[in-house]
Amino acid sequence: MAQEYRLILQHADEPGYTNDIECYLRHGGYEGLKKALALEPKTLEDGSVKSGPEQIRDEVRTSGVRGRGGAGFPAARKWGFINHNSGKPIYLICNADESEPGTFKDRQIIYKDPHQMLEGTIIACYANNVHLAYIYIRGEFHEGAEILNRAIREAKEKNFIGKNIQGSGYDLELYLHRGAGAYICGEETGLLESLEGKRPYPRIKPPYFPAAYGLYMCPTIVNNVETLCCLKHVMLMGGAEYAKLGTPNNTGTRIVCVSGTVKRPGYYEVEVGKVTIRELIHDFAGGLPEGRSLQAVIPGGSSAKVFRAGEKFQIKKKAGDGQETVEMDLEDLPYDFDTVVEAGSMSGSGAVMVLDDSVDMIEAIANIAEFYAHESCGQCTPCREGSLWLKKALQRLAHGRGRKEDADYILRIADNIPNGRTICAFGEATAWPVQSTVRKFREVFEARGAEDEARRARETEGAGGVGKEMDVAASSQP
Amino acid sequence: MPESHPNFEVPSQLEAEIDEVITHYPEKRSASLMVLHALQDHFGFLSKEAIEWAAQKLELQPINLYELVTFYPMFHEEPVGTYILKICRTLSCAVNGAHRLHHHVCERLGLDPNSHASQTTPDGRITVEYAECLASCGTAPVMMCNAAFYENVSNEKADDVIEECGNNGDTETENKEDV
């Protein structure tokens, strides 16, 4: 039976473990930072000198850590885009906006082990010559904000933040910034606009990659809470040792959130790629309620493309020196970054939402569409209008006012939102769940639309034939 | 436009807090959200006067703040209930009874259970609204009462929370992991 591997959450749920600095220090807290600050410049064979921060960046590259926020982009490569000689200050933002539906891992770290997150953030700041950093926390985490503010105060008192940290000569100021309920602030350029005091309209890339033109048009790094926590362990273990956890190109551990119709929803930290979707659902989350069967899995937060139970995928695997393609069932997919992408979706923010056969797929996707219609920032027409049309069409179908052609109608809208038509990936996030659900459950959508039409036809006859015009009007109302 | 707030006055302690927060940023405008939060936490909503006061403080035009108040869902332009109950309606909560919970809460408070809009009891005490994902899908359904957060909320738990709102004169509720 698959086992958890708790690295980041090693202490979080232990009885008696509290979120104050004394408890953290008793458990080896800030040792990773001390090790980082103590790194002496190293002279290489060619006579060049590698500074401590450069050595940390090398360790992170060796560790292979990939971003835990959604895109799975290698952290060291993201850092590598920073120009250290631009003469501008470099900023770092810890993205604690946790807002992807299905995700509740950063909440565990913020509430139960805030100093681990601070330690990772400070290490990242030191490694990238950052002297001013912010934590952007979602507005609804009221208590989380209080916990983090206290943790920052404690860390300042112990000189882990502030001037001349631990006598190293390194200065860092770190502040907490609260959002106010907008999902788009999790998108890194939207976050930067929000942090500048504006509406969080994402910036167009290129040219506005945060690494080049970020906060106040200065080089900026935005890293997720969990990604930053990984750094503490990379520092303590060494990059090579860390890379032994997980699987090649999918290193380390990951906190996976399982929710929906399972018996034991929750968060489970596992080695990346060492557990399958079946093990996540059945071993960790206790399986489905009695008598139910699996209908669909949303593998990486609500933006991810939906998997239908029983789907088969052609997955490339290493075999000797070459590659072979094997057919895999949905539930046998290892839960890592690459395999889930190869299967046509993504592991995104590590949120697995499980839907059993008691859930009406049309209602489920209408629910997700309503989320995106509410959260679209309104900057780009295809997304602003498209997300609302999708919501209206899907709600109409969910409420018994569907039409036979709705499946095609919905797909026509959804297909015209993503693929470069919008400034940010919210367009994809809006379209992907709808496109995949309608295509994979097409017969459900068509049958529902046809049923609704037939029923309306009967009702019209019964009412003495009100006429066709009324029928059309009634069905086009959301 | 936001509602007017006659005799609007920022107490000196609040102003000192706001002045301190502004020092966190190299550019004053960055403090906008934090200043609006501080004002709303104190006054319950962001009036025309509050927005003008904040604009002056941050050396901005009122429109620069008004566009934030109208964008971010957590800000209110007019007074809302002393207690705001936010019920998460996104997928994992929805498949675990969020609609049942909303229905129950509305019925109990004499509000329209079929309305998905924000509604306030006639005495101005409690506002009920749906919220998008509150990032606790593992303990669905969840809801908030002002800053307090509640997990695995049954109808009975919701009744207890409402009961407490009726008994406390204070706007602050204690944070509780699980009632």
Side-chain angles (χ1 to χ4, degrees):
Chain A
M1 185 160 149
Q3 293 291 318
E4 268 198 84
Y5 190 103
R6 287 201 165 203
L7 192 65
I8 291 169
L9 296 176
Q10 190 185 353
H11 301 301
D13 291 314
E14 277 172 13
Y17 189 80
T18 49
N19 58 19
D20 56 282
I21 197 164
E22 294 302 336
C23 182
Y24 188 62
L25 290 170
R26 282 199 302 278
H27 289 77
Y30 289 104
E31 288 302 322
L33 173 63
K34 287 180 191 163
K35 196 173 163 186
L37 293 171
L39 285 172
E40 295 287 344
K42 214 162 60 182
T43 310
L44 303 180
E45 280 175 16
D46 62 1
S48 63
V49 178
K50 222 163 217 188
S51 68
E54 284 173 310
Q55 292 172 49
I56 300 171
R57 299 205 292 271
D58 283 348
E59 286 300 320
V60 174
R61 187 170 304 114
T62 309
S63 75
V65 169
R66 294 171 67 167
R68 266 52 171 163
F73 195 78
R77 210 183 306 162
K78 195 176 205 177
W79 291 4
F81 296 139
I82 295 287
N83 177 359
H84 288 272
N85 305 310
S86 69
K88 294 179 182 173
I90 300 166
Y91 296 109
L92 186 138
I93 324 290
C94 169
N95 187 346
D97 193 54
E98 187 156 65
S99 42
E100 178 68 23
T103 320
F104 46 99
K105 64 191 177 68
D106 297 342
R107 170 192 282 277
Q108 314 307 326
I109 299 166
I110 294 166
Y111 281 68
K112 297 169 186 170
D113 208 0
H115 282 285
Q116 181 176 197
M117 164 180 155
L118 294 189
E119 184 177 357
T121 305
I122 302 164
I123 293 171
C125 288
Y126 178 64
N128 292 287
N129 306 314
V130 172
H131 299 286
L132 178 58
Y134 295 94
I135 297 168
Y136 189 108
I137 187 169
R138 64 176 295 174
E140 292 88 345
F141 284 177
H142 293 266
E143 198 191 349
E146 282 170 28
I147 291 169
L148 281 173
N149 268 329
R150 198 189 65 216
I152 292 171
R153 255 198 324 275
E154 291 173 334
K156 271 191 180 146
E157 282 163 16
K158 300 265 185 204
N159 191 228
F160 293 117
I161 299 173
K163 298 272 178 220
N164 189 19
I165 295 172
Q166 304 296 305
S168 65
Y170 171 63
D171 302 338
L172 173 69
E173 282 307 325
L174 175 63
Y175 297 108
L176 187 76
H177 182 93
R178 289 181 63 205
Y183 169 79
I184 198 63
C185 294
E187 200 278 344
E188 53 184 15
T189 61
L191 184 155
L192 294 175
E193 287 286 306
S194 178
L195 190 48
E196 289 185 2
K198 300 169 190 161
R199 281 190 171 193
Y201 291 148
R203 298 173 179 170
I204 195 155
K205 295 151 285 225
Y208 298 109
F209 290 108
Y213 305 104
L215 189 61
Y216 313 124
M217 292 294 123
C218 295
T220 303
I221 295 164
V222 184
N223 282 148
N224 171 258
V225 171
E226 190 188 352
T227 314
L228 290 167
C229 288
C230 295
L231 302 182
K232 169 207 159 113
H233 301 282
V234 170
M235 262 339 284
L236 286 175
M237 300 166 72
E241 204 53 35
Y242 182 88
K244 288 181 188 164
L245 293 172
T247 50
N249 206 35
N250 297 269
T251 59
T253 64
R254 196 160 189 204
I255 306 170
V256 183
C257 304
V258 188
S259 67
T261 56
V262 287
K263 283 192 201 148
R264 274 198 311 273
Y267 49 92
Y268 304 96
E269 186 173 358
V270 297
E271 283 187 72
V272 185
K274 292 262 175 93
V275 302
T276 63
I277 288 181
R278 173 177 288 109
E279 287 166 333
L280 283 171
I281 298 173
H282 294 279
D283 294 359
F284 292 121
L288 307 169
E290 295 312 325
R292 308 267 182 85
S293 60
L294 186 67
Q295 180 169 216
V297 176
I298 307 174
S302 65
S303 311
K305 288 183 187 166
V306 175
F307 287 144
R308 182 173 184 163
E311 261 192 270
K312 306 263 190 247
F313 306 99
Q314 304 297 321
I315 304 292
K316 289 193 192 77
K317 270 197 157 180
K318 262 208 171 122
D321 292 336
Q323 258 186 353
E324 62 172 10
T325 302
V326 287
E327 188 177 83
M328 285 180 112
D329 188 78
L330 162 63
E331 291 186 70
D332 292 322
L333 292 179
Y335 192 71
D336 63 16
F337 293 101
D338 295 333
T339 314
V340 185
V341 167
E342 231 184 299
S345 187
M346 61 174 181
S347 60
S349 55
V352 177
M353 293 158 105
V354 181
L355 300 174
D356 70 24
D357 58 351
S358 72
V359 177
D360 180 330
M361 281 312 288
I362 294 173
E363 280 186 41
I365 195 64
N367 180 292
I368 292 178
E370 188 174 348
F371 175 84
Y372 288 102
H374 184 263
E375 299 296 342
S376 173
C377 81
Q379 210 182 181
C380 312
T381 307
C383 171
R384 181 187 63 242
E385 303 301 319
S387 61
L388 195 65
W389 291 356
L390 288 179
K391 171 193 142 171
K392 286 183 174 178
L394 284 161
Q395 282 189 337
R396 191 179 63 203
L397 196 54
H399 288 106
R401 296 191 295 273
R403 302 177 303 197
K404 267 188 292 208
E405 64 271 29
D406 272 345
D408 287 326
Y409 174 72
I410 291 163
L411 283 175
R412 200 173 67 238
I413 300 167
D415 290 348
N416 278 298
I417 301 173
N419 302 332
R421 292 178 179 89
T422 58
I423 287 172
C424 80
F426 189 102
E428 277 74 17
T430 304
W432 284 348
V434 175
Q435 290 171 310
S436 53
T437 304
V438 177
R439 293 213 159 89
K440 292 177 183 184
F441 291 86
R442 194 177 179 102
E443 81 283 2
V444 177
F445 285 78
E446 286 176 346
R448 186 74 56 87
E451 262 169 47
D452 289 350
E453 279 197 4
R455 192 184 54 252
R456 272 198 306 277
R458 283 197 303 277
E459 283 166 3
T460 312
E461 279 165 26
V466 182
K468 199 161 183 301
E469 210 176 337
M470 182 73 171
D471 189 31
V472 174
S475 63
S476 64
Q477 289 297 315
Chain B
M1 279 304 283
E3 208 158 302
S4 186
H5 185 174
N7 310 319
F8 173 84
E9 206 185 316
V10 177
S12 55
Q13 199 198 329
L14 178 61
E15 182 161 7
E17 278 171 37
I18 287 173
D19 286 335
E20 198 278 326
V21 158
I22 294 171
T23 66
H24 295 184
Y25 305 91
E27 293 184 12
K28 281 189 174 183
R29 186 173 183 174
S30 278
S32 298
L33 285 189
M34 296 297 276
V35 171
L36 292 175
H37 272 306
L39 291 170
Q40 180 167 286
D41 286 351
H42 185 84
F43 295 103
F45 73 108
L46 293 163
S47 61
K48 187 169 163 283
E49 289 77 5
I51 290 171
E52 282 166 3
W53 185 89
Q56 203 171 15
K57 197 82 192 158
L58 296 166
E59 296 166 21
L60 296 170
Q61 295 300 319
I63 184 67
N64 300 136
L65 292 164
Y66 185 52
E67 69 172 359
L68 305 183
V69 175
T70 53
F71 185 94
Y72 291 92
M74 282 176 76
F75 294 136
H76 305 286
E77 296 174 61
E78 58 266 323
V80 286
T82 312
Y83 296 91
I84 306 178
L85 297 181
K86 287 185 184 173
I87 298 171
C88 175
R89 61 149 292 280
T90 319
L91 190 56
S92 291
C93 279
V95 299
N96 283 292
H99 291 94
R100 179 262 306 150
L101 177 63
H102 180 264
H103 199 273
H104 173 79
V105 167
C106 287
E107 267 193 344
R108 154 128 198 186
L109 293 170
L111 302 170
D112 176 6
N114 296 316
S115 167
H116 284 203
S118 179
Q119 305 179 74
T120 303
T121 53
D123 61 1
R125 196 152 189 77
I126 302 179
T127 296
V128 178
E129 58 189 35
Y130 269 126
E132 296 296 347
C133 189
L134 294 173
S136 193
C137 322
T139 52
V142 297
M143 71 176 205
M144 297 183 75
C145 176
N146 291 351
F149 183 71
Y150 302 91
E151 303 173 287
N152 297 311
V153 186
S154 61
N155 290 354
E156 293 70 36
K157 276 187 190 176
D159 288 343
D160 291 344
V161 174
I162 293 169
E163 198 75 28
E164 245 175 84
C165 298
N167 296 334
N168 288 348
D170 196 347
T171 53
E172 289 296 313
T173 48
E174 286 302 307
N175 279 301
K176 289 200 183 80
E177 275 297 300
D178 211 346
V179 173

